[in-house]
Amino acid sequence: MSRLNILLLVPFVTLSGCAIVGPKLDFYDSALIAKEPNRAIISGSKTQGQKPLSPILIFMDSIDKKVTGQAKEQRCSFNKPFPVSPGKHELVVVITAGETFASSRFGFAALQVNAMPNAKLILKGEVSSNVSAKVWAEDSNGAIVTEQVAVTLKDSPSKGMPIGFAAIEDSCSLP
């Protein structure tokens, strides 16, 4: 290929790269489900324990492969109730352990839940070490209604950031 052909192709390749867009996210429509009779409700939880792996937050990431919101929004409103139709659902939940900013640990797990009509389910979890935890769902009486799923914990994405940037990323009071 001649130099002229290569020089003419560079702008085309560069411009065509600008048209690449990330995957389209499909969001969960809780307002639509909220209108259904006999709907179940699922919410996250916060548990206090021993430092440095406390508090433990469990919150929703997606329901049936539909995103429930932005990660920071979900973490800051961890106990927001999500209505679901009665029946089987796949929940992807996030567990974070430790104070916010650059010191917390986090992980993801998929829970299979069979939501009974009018049930109130709460996502729960516990941390057994700096790298392992487990999550599950309980009904309003405290009975475990899903398998307890093992989770590998990793460093917070804000680890290594300057403290100011980490504070902005993790703070629920900042946009």
Side-chain angles (χ1 to χ4, degrees):
M1 203 176 237
S2 73
R3 280 186 181 205
L4 181 58
N5 287 344
I6 292 173
L7 289 174
L8 293 174
L9 283 176
V10 169
F12 175 75
V13 171
T14 305
L15 290 175
S16 67
C18 293
I20 297 173
V21 178
K24 180 182 177 286
L25 296 177
D26 194 11
F27 284 88
Y28 186 73
D29 189 355
S30 59
L32 180 66
I33 305 297
K35 296 175 185 174
E36 289 187 17
N38 302 321
R39 69 189 176 283
I41 301 291
I42 303 174
S43 62
S45 66
K46 180 178 185 177
T47 306
Q48 294 293 340
Q50 292 226 325
K51 302 283 182 186
L53 297 174
S54 178
I56 300 168
L57 289 177
I58 314 293
F59 56 92
M60 197 79 67
D61 178 73
S62 66
I63 300 171
D64 298 328
K65 298 186 177 16
K66 294 185 180 191
V67 180
T68 54
Q70 296 177 341
K72 181 176 176 179
E73 171 191 335
Q74 293 304 96
R75 181 180 48 77
C76 292
S77 57
F78 62 89
N79 58 353
K80 175 182 175 183
F82 284 95
V84 295
S85 302
K88 295 183 179 186
H89 298 278
E90 179 184 65
L91 312 176
V92 174
V93 300
V94 180
I95 179 171
T96 65
E99 294 294 337
T100 57
F101 306 114
S103 62
S104 67
R105 310 280 292 160
F106 81 104
F108 296 89
L111 293 177
Q112 304 298 322
V113 64
N114 186 11
M116 303 309 285
N118 302 310
K120 289 185 171 69
L121 304 177
I122 302 167
L123 302 172
K124 295 285 192 165
E126 68 181 30
V127 175
S128 53
S129 76
N130 199 32
V131 294
S132 64
K134 58 184 172 181
V135 295
W136 64 89
E138 294 180 355
D139 66 15
S140 56
N141 297 321
I144 296 174
V145 296
T146 64
E147 182 180 337
Q148 293 184 352
V149 177
V151 179
T152 300
L153 298 175
K154 303 173 188 170
D155 284 333
S156 166
S158 54
K159 184 171 184 160
M161 279 186 185
I163 191 67
F165 290 112
I168 290 169
E169 179 186 317
D170 285 348
S171 175
C172 292
S173 61
L174 298 172

